[in-house]
Structure formats: C-alpha cells, structure tokens
Amino acid sequence: MHLPPVIKNWFDSRGWSIHPHQQAMLDRADAPALLLIAPTGGGKTLAGFLPTLVELADATHNGLHTLYVSPLKALASDIKRNLTTPVTDMGLPIRIEDRTGDTSATQKKRQRADPPHILLTTPESLALLTSYEDAPRMFAGVQRVIVDEIHALAESKRGDQLMLALSRLQAMAPGLRRVGLSATVENPARIAHGLACHPDPCEILYADAGPDPDISMLVTEERPPWSGGGAKYAIPAVLEQVKQHETTLIFHNTRAQAEIFFHNLWLANDTDLPIGIHHGSLDRDQRQRVEAAMVAGSLRAIVCTGSLDLGIDWGDVDLVIQVGAPKNVKRLIQRIGRANHRYNAPSKALLVPANRFEVVECVAALQAARDHELDGDPPGPGPRDVLCQHILIRACAGTFDADDLYSEVRSVGAYSNLTRDAFDACLDFCATGGYALAAYDRWKRLQCRDGLWHLRDPRATRDLRMNIGTIQDTDTLKVRLKGRFKPLGEIEESFAATLTPGDTFLIGGEIVRYESMREMSVEVTRRADKTPKIATFMGTKFATSTQLSQRILRMFQQDEWPDLPQHTAEWLHMQRDWSKLPEADRILVESFPHDGRAHTCFYGFAGRNAQQTLGLLLTKRMEELNLNPLGFVSTDYATLVWGLNPVEDPAVLFDPNALHDGFTDWLAGNAVMKRTFRASATIAGLIQRNLPQARTSGRQATFSSDILYDTLAKYDPNHLIMQVTREEALRGLVDFGRVEEMLARTAGRVDHVILPRVSPLAAPMLLEMGRVPIAGAGRQRLMEVAAARLMEEAGLSAL
Amino acid sequence: MNGFSFIFGDHRLIALPSGALWWADRRLLCISDMHLCKSNRIARRSGQMLPPYETQETLSKLAHDIALTDPQTVVCLGDSFDDLTAAESLSLEDTTSLVSLQAGRRWLWLEGNHDPGPLTLGGTHLAVHTDGGLTFRHIASATLLEISGHYHPKHAIPGIGGARACFLNDGNRLIMPAYGAYTGGLRATDAALTRLFEGQTVAILTGHRAICVPLTRSGRPAPPVRWRDSTR
C-alpha cells in the first residue's frame, strides 16, 4: 500500500519520513491480524492508523470504518486530538469521534444512528455497543479494529471481554481486520494468539527498540525510612529534579500514596512550580483540566498513578520518576518509555525507594532492566465469569442460537479450548442461575424457544447493560464540598464508613474535613490543616514478580554490596551478624517477643499475595496446634505472625502435606476467597453492581455478598461461580502457585532463629499497614475479656 | 448452650448465640425476621437469581434451636416470610421441615411489615402477643417491657471489629436480631435505633457464644484496625 499524495505531502511538508515499521504496517494492511511491538514514542499509534487514513482518503467509504480501542478513556480523547490535527491539516474527509463512559447520552445516541468513520472507544463501551439490537447495522461495514496498548489489556479480564466483543464484531463484519499495538513485552507470541481470530495466524512486526533507557536511583541526603510507602523523605530531592527538567511525571503505585506525596510536595513547593495530580479517583473535570494543562505545557510535573501509565502523548516529558519499588520490571520499562518521546533519544528515569527494603528492590530492578530481563506469568484459560457476562450481553442484542455463539466464542484465543459442556454450563448459569436446586423455573432469565435463546423479561436489558464491565470498583461515594454540587472526587464506601464528623483526609491534593453523609455523597469542608487523617482509597497493590524476588535473594548472597547505598548495606550486614539473610533454597524463620506477644517472621519471598495466603495457612495450622495466633501482616518478602504462644518448631508448620490438606478447607472459609467471589459474581451477573434503586433502600435490606458465598459453600459448593472463584483465587489474590513454588524450592529446609528482640530485617514489618486479625480461639478469648472489662467499667458486671 | 442470661421485667430470659430468645419458665422460644423465601422475592422483583438456599439454612438453624430447647410455644416476631407470595412459594421440602418443627407446639405468627396477612401454614396469627407483663410485637412501640424485631441490629465491639447481629436491651425494651440467613444489619449506633432506648443499653452479640457489651451513646466509632495498629 502506498501513501496517497495528500498524506505523503503532509509528511514531506514537516520534513518527516515514514518509519520502517509504519511502512511495514501499510504493506501488510490486508493481513487478518497483525501485532506491532514498538517502544513508546515510536510512532506506534500513527503506524496503526496509517492504513485507515489511506483507505479513507478517497472518501468512498460510508459509515464506520475503523474502531480504535484503548484501555483508558484519557487515551481515547488524547488520540482524538492527535489524529484530528493531521487529518484536518491534510483536508481528509474523515470524521473522528470518541465514545467512552464520559460521552454524553445525546452524543452516544447520535453515534449509533450515524456512526463516524473512526470511533475511539474502550472495551466496556464497545461491549455496551454490541448489546444493542441495532449493533449489526452499525458494525456491518467496519473494516479494521485497532487495539492500542494491547499488552495492558492482555493480562486482565478487560482483554478477555474485548476479545469476546471482537468475536461478535467479526460475526457482524466478516471482513474485519485486527491490529494490535503493544509496548515491549516478554512474550509477543502470547499476545498475538489472543488477538487473532482463532485459528487464523497473527503476524508480529517489530519496530526498532531504540537506545537503552537511562535509569538510576535517586540519591538523597536523607535516609529512606524503615517502612511505609510515602517517600516523604525524598520530597526536596524530587523538587530539585523537577526544577532541573522541563516536565516530570512522578508515578506512584497507589492512589493514596500519590495523594499524600502530592500534598507534601505542595507544602515544600516554595517556588510555586506548577504541579498537578492525576489519578482514577479524581473527578472527571479535574482530570481533564490536568490533562489540558499538561498538553498546553503549563505544568512542570504531574503526580500520577497507573491512570497515566499508558501511551498518552503528554508532549515533552523529559523525566520519569517512579516512587516506590516498581515490583515488576516490565511495568518499569513501560513507564520509563513515557519520557522523551523523541525517537532514538534515551528515556531518563529515576527510581525513588519509599523505604529501606525498597532500596534493595530498586537496585535489583535496575540490574534486571539493564539485562533486558522482563517478567511475567502465563495467563490461564479464558475466565468463565467474563463469558457469562458476554452471553448476557449477547442476549440483550436479541435472540441467538447457542451453536453459533459457541463457535464465535471458540474463535477467541483464550477460549479456543473451551468445551461445549463448559459453555453450556455458563449458558445454564445465565438462564437459570445454575443451581443444583432448580428454584427459578418461573423466573428464568433466559428462555429457549424454537432453538433460539432470548431474555424472559426484556426489561432486564437495562440492569444488564448497567452491569457491563469487568473492572471491580470498590463501592465508592462522591465527595462534595458542602453546599456545592460538583464533586471533588470519590472515596471508598468502606473508608467513608469509618469517618466521624471532624475527621480530615486528602482528596485531590487538598485536606478536607468530613461533615456529614448526604444520600450517597460525602459532604466536606476545606481545611488548612497540615496533617490529614490518611485517605486509604486503594490503588492496585502489585506483588513483586518471581524474577525480581529471585534477584533480591541472589543479591543477599553477596559478601559485600557495593551497588547499595551505605545505609542499606549496613542494614544487611547487621541482619547477617544478628540473625541470617534469607536464602533462595531455605526458609528463614525468626521468632522474638515484642509488645507482650510472641512474634514469628517467615521469609518466603513469594510476593505479597502468596505471603498473605501463607499467613492465612500458617495461622490456621497454628490455631490447630493451640498457639493462639492473633493476627499477621504480609509484605512481598515475608509474613509476620503474632499470637499468645511462641512457635517452637516452625518445620511442623511447613509440612507440605498438612498445608495442602488444610488448603482446601481453608480456602473455602477465607476472606480473600470472599473478595474474589464478589468480583466474579458481579462480573457474571449473579450480583448486580449498579442496580438503580438498590442504593435508596434501607440499609438493613441489603446484605453482604459474603453471606451468599457462605451459603453456596455449604449447599452448592460446585456451583459455577464457586469454581470460577477457586480458579481465580489460586492464580491471583491467593496465588497458591507461588506458595507451592516456594515450598518446592525450599523443600522443608527451615532455619529457625530465636532472638531476644526483633531483627533488623523484621523490624520494618512491625510498622506495616494491612494487618489481618485472626478470628480464632485467641480472639474469642480477647473478646470475652474485653467485653467483661467493658461491662465492669459500666458497672454492669452483675448483669 | 453458650447463651447470655438476663432479667427482663421479672423474668429470666436467655439470648441464644443463634439470635433466638429462650424464656425457660414459659418454655417459649422467640425468633424474629426470618425473611424466608427472600431469594424468590428478589428473583420475582429484579430478575436476580441468588443462591436459593437461604430458607433451608434458616430452617435448619431453627431446627437446631428447637432441638436444643424443646419449646412448648414458638413466637415468630414478624417478617417471617419476605412477602406473602414468597410464603406460597415455599418448596415441598421446606414446608415439610417447617411443619415437622410446628408439630406438637403452639406456634404464633406475629404480623410484620413484610408479611401482614394470614398465612397458608398452620399456627395462630396475631398482631401482638402478651404474657407475664411482656409484650411481643414486630415494630417497637411506646409500650414498656416490649420485645420486638424489625431493625436487624448489629454491633461490633470497639477495637475488636467484626460486626455481628445483636440483641439490644435497656431493661425496658428488647430488640431482637434478624434470624434469617439473607438479612443485613443496621448499626446499633444508628440514630434510628438509639432514639428507641433510654437507659443504659447493652448489645448482646450473636455468634459462637453470646457476648454482652455496653453500648456507648453517641461515642466516636473506633478507628478501623489497620490504623490503630499502624500508629502504635
């Protein structure tokens, strides 16, 4: 395919020449599926759109030609801007519009009646579009779909949902060609498999990877603290860096950390540098204002989270700062790609460890980045809760034949091995609830007549459409200034429930005082305080990857640590003298008394999620052995358990058979499972998340999904959603795979060190957040004692 | 039986850890807000198909309490069924278990806001039941020495966490926890509940063993566990 003169002239007029990979994309424009791997800033998006522009240049196509899907709303609007400019300059007859959750209802309605040539959207908005009865008309002529940042989608249920939606599109538009644009990943073939219409192949094109990034660790005069994630100590050094660069992006791993850091940055910002904040909990207007200011080049720095992770072109970013250990080398490299968008110039990045242990982790990540060692775990088969949602979306669009839908679903890479039985079980779940006890004969959701499935009650489409999506928002409440309507942002309902009038917290970088709860929003007033009560709305907490953990363990075996700052090297030496440093093929266990309780620290280096699971399993074993554990806390490298009795023989706790036997029983009753259940049950449509009237009903009418979980565990343990929950939990939050990997690599070799007080390596654990209480005999005893004391104090002990 | 024994009026009552109330002198067992067949009502009204096992679960809990106490009288303090249509949808198995629990006992269905009319099942239907100076009624009124349900109170011991369904008692008024499997709760500190009590109120928490704690009035709720520990 050649560039038509109008496009060629535009390139020439700017003195630009087409990149080899952009030409390659044009040459292979007819391929049914094509994956481009290119570093950020490599003109990836233009490479994806060039064939579309060429095909649309002659103005012969009517209706929708290209769908562009990105994981972020912000990315869709950014691309709209960046694409509209050249299209207008070239005078091409192309209409470009975006459609996301933020698009107005009128606009959306018009888009369905009269779609643009290029529609920019997100997986959720696309899934919603396919749920309308007029979808076949809208999508009939669509030629190309471009999935941007496909690497970010490939690892999540959003990606599975998108690929299922593409299988629907393919059925409505058989000539549809698929293009994936990806950053550097460890396994491109895996992504290509997911993109192709199975069993078609998918060709992979590689752009020049460009020079290695310039990454280092920020050196500060102040020592990093022992624990925490705020990195407040580094504020002066970070401000200094912002001053020395044009535009800096400051990434954080969680929203709460970003808020706190931004607040502290402002307090220290004595030269009034323009600095903004951007994360997913902020109100849309606020986010858009920051985005606009960034594009206009009026900001010197943005404090942000994963919401800015992806390929938005923010112009001249010349420095990326990552606060907190990156946890995963691949994500680090991708974030660093945000800096220096000029092709062939190295990106510049600084890592800021938030605490002493993260210094070690940052150094290990730097080494891995230099060695080009990316990390990642293979994904499992396509999740069935997403499939259930897909079936319900299909039902919203009209009657369907189960055989047709099954073959469509099998054309999705992740579902290519789905058996007919498994598909039918999902269909049965959607139709009847899928219970062993058939209770809903009269109230079935789907019915089959003359071989075609349809919704029993067509009014159900409204609730089903509101439930579309796989992102699990924890329930959030809007935060509003008293007397104003416009929200400042959102906080989690669980956080709001803990607030008492007068409490202060951070939102959008300012401190507000909680006044009252009005309907479903939180009323606040502005405060000039300096120290807020911490906002705990969650961002994602990632676990340190296996590869990175292994590197850290290898580092521990060095005699000296010339790569580490002196304070951190001294800390490790102290640990070596005082106790031991953990080794890859042994489990180190330290026991010591602290604060009147017996403490035991287990160094498994299995990542946060697996360490959390290990904590639950170990405390269950301890409960059985009458050690009365009271609680535990986990980090990426260790689990600290405290209780009434000391652990004398930790090897007994690690008996793999006992752990394994206990695992199944334990799994049924634990909180992580319940959380996973809630997520899967919501995705599959067992629980509705956005039921319009649910929120106004009295509180005693709603009950927790934990009750549903407990009921199913007791009466219907093999229910579809219970199966999905177990699968999910094993891979994700429970991460039992890494517990098993740890047990295998250590093979029962346990070193137990008994200490008179806390060891240097365990000390930061005492300050960790996220303590998990154990509801066992020890707790019951404490409860009874506490209740008796309270009754005594109230003078009611005779009661 | 792991219950909590206390004097109400002139009578000794026991709050069972299951959420039932046992009046040994009268051999009377009282339960409130079972909301049987709730999943059926939800399916009918919203199309949502929740696990249809809550009736079985609630009845097996009741069977356990009845086996434990062998009451002469059972008082169901209203909202026994999620609505009247739900009561008619009771499965054959569940009807059989309920009938076998009723056999040989006086069974009083007090009317609730969810199930006001008469039911197709055996038993006596009443708006109010009085005995020995105690009044049983679904929604609390101004009557002294009254035992009621309706509010589904729950409470967590400050600093220990984990809210449980609970009885609330100030010596003049006793409000029962919801007995049904699919029932949420209203915080005992909610104004809707606190305004009903005058004297020193205690909460008797259900669970493994009934635990009695004083309910502090208008106190600040305790901060969640993770902060308290992290600021130590």
Side-chain angles (χ1 to χ4, degrees):
Chain A
M1 191 179 273
H2 289 288
L3 286 183
V6 57
I7 301 180
K8 173 112 188 28
N9 292 345
W10 183 77
F11 265 86
D12 292 345
S13 71
R14 318 205 135 210
W16 291 359
S17 59
I18 187 164
H19 288 310
H21 64 269
Q22 292 172 335
Q23 184 60 51
M25 291 292 282
L26 280 171
D27 294 342
R28 290 169 180 74
D30 290 334
L34 203 52
L35 175 65
L36 173 65
I37 308 276
T40 325
K44 194 166 51 181
T45 315
L46 187 57
F49 275 110
L50 266 182
T52 296
L53 299 187
V54 172
E55 288 172 29
L56 286 173
D58 63 3
T60 53
H61 186 92
N62 281 321
L64 191 57
H65 178 282
T66 295
L67 258 173
Y68 165 92
V69 186
S70 86
L72 292 179
K73 294 178 209 172
L75 196 48
S77 51
D78 183 57
I79 297 289
K80 182 181 164 192
R81 207 165 41 224
N82 291 351
L83 200 57
T84 306
T85 312
V87 163
T88 315
D89 288 354
M90 293 180 222
L92 292 176
I94 302 175
R95 206 168 99 219
I96 304 164
E97 287 174 14
D98 61 344
R99 181 190 183 96
T100 66
D102 291 350
T103 309
S104 75
T106 351
Q107 171 89 339
K108 282 182 177 171
K109 207 167 175 183
R110 200 189 46 67
Q111 281 174 345
R112 274 166 58 203
D114 176 23
H117 296 108
I118 299 177
L119 186 66
L120 314 162
T121 188
T122 58
E124 291 72 27
S125 288
L126 178 61
L128 183 59
L129 274 176
T130 67
S131 81
Y132 293 110
E133 286 188 41
D134 57 8
R137 195 178 50 76
M138 178 172 182
F139 292 114
V142 66
Q143 298 292 309
R144 305 180 75 228
V145 57
I146 301 170
V147 183
D148 203 358
E149 308 284 347
I150 190 172
H151 59 279
L153 286 169
E155 288 170 2
S156 72
K157 290 188 177 180
R158 300 182 71 201
D160 296 312
Q161 173 159 58
L162 173 62
M163 294 310 157
L164 285 168
L166 293 193
S167 74
R168 280 269 54 231
L169 287 188
Q170 198 87 45
M172 295 184 258
L176 180 72
R177 289 160 286 158
R178 308 175 179 203
V179 173
L181 309 175
S182 170
T184 318
V185 285
E186 80 284 3
N187 192 343
R190 197 188 289 151
I191 293 184
H193 173 71
L195 174 66
C197 179
H198 192 78
D200 293 352
C202 174
E203 198 179 340
I204 305 174
L205 297 176
Y206 293 89
D208 180 6
D212 276 354
D214 163 19
I215 329 174
S216 54
M217 194 161 73
L218 181 68
V219 182
T220 56
E221 282 176 28
E222 185 107 2
R223 296 172 169 210
W226 291 113
S227 75
K232 190 178 171 189
Y233 79 96
I235 296 274
V238 167
L239 264 182
E240 195 48 46
Q241 291 294 330
V242 171
K243 281 178 197 163
Q244 287 171 17
H245 291 83
E246 280 306 310
T247 311
T248 306
L249 291 184
I250 307 171
F251 277 105
H252 289 261
N253 288 334
T254 71
R255 291 170 187 176
Q257 283 167 5
E259 280 281 359
I260 295 161
F261 192 87
F262 179 64
H263 178 72
N264 288 326
L265 205 56
W266 258 115
L267 293 179
N269 184 8
D270 39 25
T271 51
D272 280 338
L273 291 169
I275 298 175
I277 180 165
H278 190 287
H279 64 68
S281 291
L282 290 178
D283 184 59
R284 192 205 329 170
D285 286 357
Q286 282 218 26
R287 284 202 310 261
Q288 285 174 345
R289 237 177 308 152
V290 170
E291 286 162 17
M294 191 70 187
V295 170
S298 58
L299 286 179
R300 293 290 297 277
I302 293 192
V303 175
C304 56
T305 62
S307 63
L308 273 194
D309 234 346
L310 299 160
I312 299 172
D313 191 353
W314 294 117
D316 289 328
V317 172
D318 55 350
L319 176 66
V320 166
I321 293 180
Q322 159 72 36
V323 179
K327 305 289 175 200
N328 170 315
V329 180
K330 184 169 56 181
R331 188 169 47 245
L332 173 67
I333 297 295
Q334 289 165 358
R335 280 189 174 171
I336 288 170
R338 308 296 322 116
N340 215 337
H341 257 197
R342 282 173 295 272
Y343 205 44
N344 287 333
S347 318
K348 188 172 172 195
L350 284 171
L351 303 187
V352 182
N355 59 50
R356 211 60 69 88
F357 192 84
E358 287 193 350
V359 173
V360 182
E361 208 178 312
C362 283
V363 169
L366 286 176
Q367 290 173 356
R370 269 178 224 131
D371 297 352
H372 297 275
E373 189 188 276
L374 299 186
D375 33 20
D377 298 312
R384 285 177 287 167
D385 50 354
V386 180
L387 176 57
C388 291
Q389 191 180 110
H390 182 69
I391 294 173
L392 291 170
I393 291 172
R394 178 66 192 85
C396 288
T399 59
F400 66 93
D401 179 284
D403 295 346
D404 292 349
L405 187 58
Y406 176 58
S407 50
E408 268 173 47
V409 168
R410 290 248 304 195
S411 74
V412 176
Y415 294 92
S416 54
N417 291 321
L418 183 79
T419 64
R420 182 63 197 239
D421 282 352
F423 174 82
D424 286 341
C426 291
L427 182 57
D428 180 51
F429 165 81
C430 294
T432 70
Y435 299 108
L437 174 70
Y440 294 119
D441 282 349
R442 285 181 61 196
W443 313 113
K444 275 182 189 170
R445 185 133 61 174
L446 300 182
Q447 288 174 333
C448 186
R449 196 184 302 142
D450 305 331
L452 289 180
W453 290 86
H454 64 99
L455 285 172
R456 176 182 59 80
D457 180 357
R459 287 169 303 178
T461 50
R462 188 185 62 152
D463 287 344
L464 291 173
R465 288 195 179 115
M466 292 193 85
N467 213 40
I468 288 178
T470 58
I471 304 173
Q472 284 309 302
D473 290 333
T474 37
D475 288 323
T476 53
L477 299 175
K478 295 241 184 287
V479 178
R480 291 191 167 91
L481 278 176
K482 203 169 175 178
R484 308 255 182 99
F485 179 72
K486 238 173 71 63
L488 295 171
E490 292 176 341
I491 58 175
E492 285 165 12
E493 195 169 356
S494 57
F495 174 64
T498 67
L499 294 171
T500 312
D503 283 347
T504 56
F505 61 96
L506 275 166
I507 183 124
E510 57 183 319
I511 294 178
V512 293
R513 179 182 192 273
Y514 171 66
E515 299 293 344
S516 64
M517 185 94 81
R518 182 161 287 211
E519 277 161 17
M520 293 320 288
S521 67
V522 173
E523 283 201 336
V524 298
T525 49
R526 285 210 169 90
R527 294 287 290 184
D529 296 11
K530 290 213 165 165
T531 45
K533 184 168 173 176
I534 295 166
T536 59
F537 37 82
M538 316 267 285
T540 325
K541 268 196 173 168
F542 303 103
T544 304
S545 69
T546 314
Q547 290 87 336
L548 202 50
S549 301
Q550 286 302 316
R551 243 179 213 278
I552 295 169
L553 284 167
R554 285 203 299 276
M555 260 173 73
F556 281 166
Q557 295 318 303
Q558 294 168 211
D559 290 332
E560 296 292 330
W561 295 281
D563 288 350
L564 291 176
Q566 199 190 345
H567 50 70
T568 304
E570 279 169 6
W571 177 49
L572 295 186
H573 277 298
M574 256 166 74
Q575 170 70 18
R576 187 174 271 166
D577 295 344
W578 177 251
S579 171
K580 275 167 102 63
L581 276 168
E583 296 169 50
D585 58 352
R586 314 182 70 82
I587 300 175
L588 174 64
V589 179
E590 292 176 335
S591 287
F592 51 88
H594 179 80
D595 209 14
R597 305 258 190 258
H599 281 63
T600 304
C601 195
F602 302 89
Y603 298 91
F605 280 82
R608 183 179 297 274
N609 295 335
Q611 288 291 150
Q612 181 92 355
T613 297
L614 191 65
L616 291 159
L617 285 175
L618 289 173
T619 48
K620 180 168 184 291
R621 286 282 290 150
M622 290 169 70
E623 186 80 37
E624 287 162 7
L625 298 168
N626 295 319
L627 294 173
N628 292 310
L630 291 172
F632 70 90
V633 66
S634 300
T635 63
D636 280 304
Y637 58 100
T639 298
L640 178 69
V641 182
W642 54 94
L644 300 180
N645 307 68
V647 172
E648 265 145 28
D649 183 8
V652 179
L653 299 175
F654 279 104
D655 173 11
N657 291 330
L659 276 187
H660 232 272
D661 290 348
F663 181 66
T664 323
D665 298 342
W666 159 80
L667 196 57
N670 98 62
V672 174
M673 282 292 277
K674 290 178 181 173
R675 209 156 71 207
T676 311
F677 171 80
R678 184 187 160 117
S680 284
T682 310
I683 291 171
L686 174 63
I687 308 173
Q688 283 163 350
R689 112 183 81 194
N690 283 330
L691 210 59
Q693 68 276 21
R695 290 242 151 164
T696 53
S697 61
R699 277 189 89 169
Q700 69 267 42
T702 62
F703 56 95
S704 127
S705 64
D706 292 2
I707 293 174
L708 298 181
Y709 175 85
D710 289 337
T711 310
L712 277 176
K714 189 167 170 187
Y715 292 98
D716 208 343
N718 284 320
H719 185 262
L720 179 73
I721 302 303
M722 296 299 275
Q723 294 175 22
V724 173
T725 303
R726 274 191 290 273
E727 279 170 21
E728 290 287 309
L730 289 188
R731 279 212 311 269
L733 284 169
V734 172
D735 213 356
F736 195 61
R738 279 184 79 177
V739 175
E740 288 196 307
E741 180 270 332
M742 189 261 309
L743 290 174
R745 90 177 122 84
T746 55
R749 289 177 292 263
V750 177
D751 295 324
H752 190 205
V753 182
I754 296 170
L755 301 167
R757 59 188 160 87
V758 61
S759 73
L761 209 50
M765 304 278 297
L766 294 171
L767 306 167
E768 268 296 321
M769 312 263 264
R771 296 179 154 225
V772 180
I774 304 296
R779 176 85 30 194
Q780 181 75 22
R781 239 160 73 192
L782 285 185
M783 263 177 93
E784 284 165 23
V785 170
R789 183 176 47 77
L790 290 167
M791 292 297 276
E792 177 87 44
E793 282 169 12
L796 297 169
S797 50
L799 205 72
Chain B
M1 55 178 80
N2 273 344
F4 180 81
S5 165
F6 60 99
I7 303 289
F8 189 71
D10 290 330
H11 307 284
R12 179 157 291 278
L13 305 178
I14 298 176
L16 297 180
S18 63
L21 183 71
W22 175 232
W23 186 358
D25 288 347
R26 293 289 197 279
R27 302 194 62 72
L28 179 148
L29 185 74
C30 178
I31 48 173
S32 186
D33 298 273
M34 287 198 286
H35 290 269
L36 298 174
C37 304
K38 182 162 186 157
S39 60
N40 178 281
R41 175 163 173 261
I42 292 176
R44 208 171 345 112
R45 301 197 15 160
S46 76
Q48 209 182 347
M49 294 177 288
L50 297 179
Y53 304 104
E54 85 286 5
T55 304
Q56 206 177 333
E57 171 70 9
T58 305
L59 289 179
S60 73
K61 193 165 108 173
L62 181 57
H64 176 262
D65 280 340
I66 286 182
L68 190 75
T69 54
D70 189 20
Q72 276 170 0
T73 305
V74 174
V75 177
C76 300
L77 211 47
D79 286 2
S80 304
F81 286 88
D82 216 42
D83 66 6
L84 285 178
T85 318
E88 283 153 22
S89 75
L90 196 67
S91 74
L92 191 62
E93 291 82 4
D94 292 336
T95 310
T96 312
S97 10
L98 186 52
V99 168
S100 73
L101 293 178
Q102 290 184 310
R105 315 179 199 286
R106 184 160 74 124
W107 198 281
L108 305 183
W109 298 109
L110 267 57
E111 71 183 35
N113 52 316
H114 277 258
D115 56 348
L119 299 158
T120 50
L121 290 149
T124 311
H125 301 284
L126 296 169
V128 184
H129 172 65
T130 52
D131 190 357
L134 304 189
T135 302
F136 295 82
R137 168 198 329 267
H138 181 59
I139 302 182
S141 71
T143 318
L144 288 184
L145 296 178
E146 185 185 64
I147 297 171
S148 62
H150 183 64
Y151 289 97
H152 302 200
K154 66 174 178 183
H155 185 58
I157 299 182
I160 309 253
R164 294 179 180 182
C166 67
F167 297 83
L168 294 176
N169 175 19
D170 68 354
N172 278 322
R173 178 185 303 293
L174 179 65
I175 293 189
M176 306 257 305
Y179 196 77
Y182 288 178
T183 48
L186 182 68
R187 292 259 171 206
T189 47
D190 192 284
L193 274 166
T194 50
R195 67 159 186 256
L196 296 170
F197 293 94
E198 281 171 1
Q200 169 66 55
T201 312
V202 294
I204 305 164
L205 274 52
T206 61
H208 175 68
R209 173 181 298 175
I211 299 177
C212 183
V213 289
L215 201 64
T216 41
R217 291 187 152 269
S218 68
R220 282 171 66 97
V225 173
R226 56 178 180 273
W227 296 337
R228 201 182 53 258
D229 284 334
S230 63
T231 50
R232 193 162 59 191

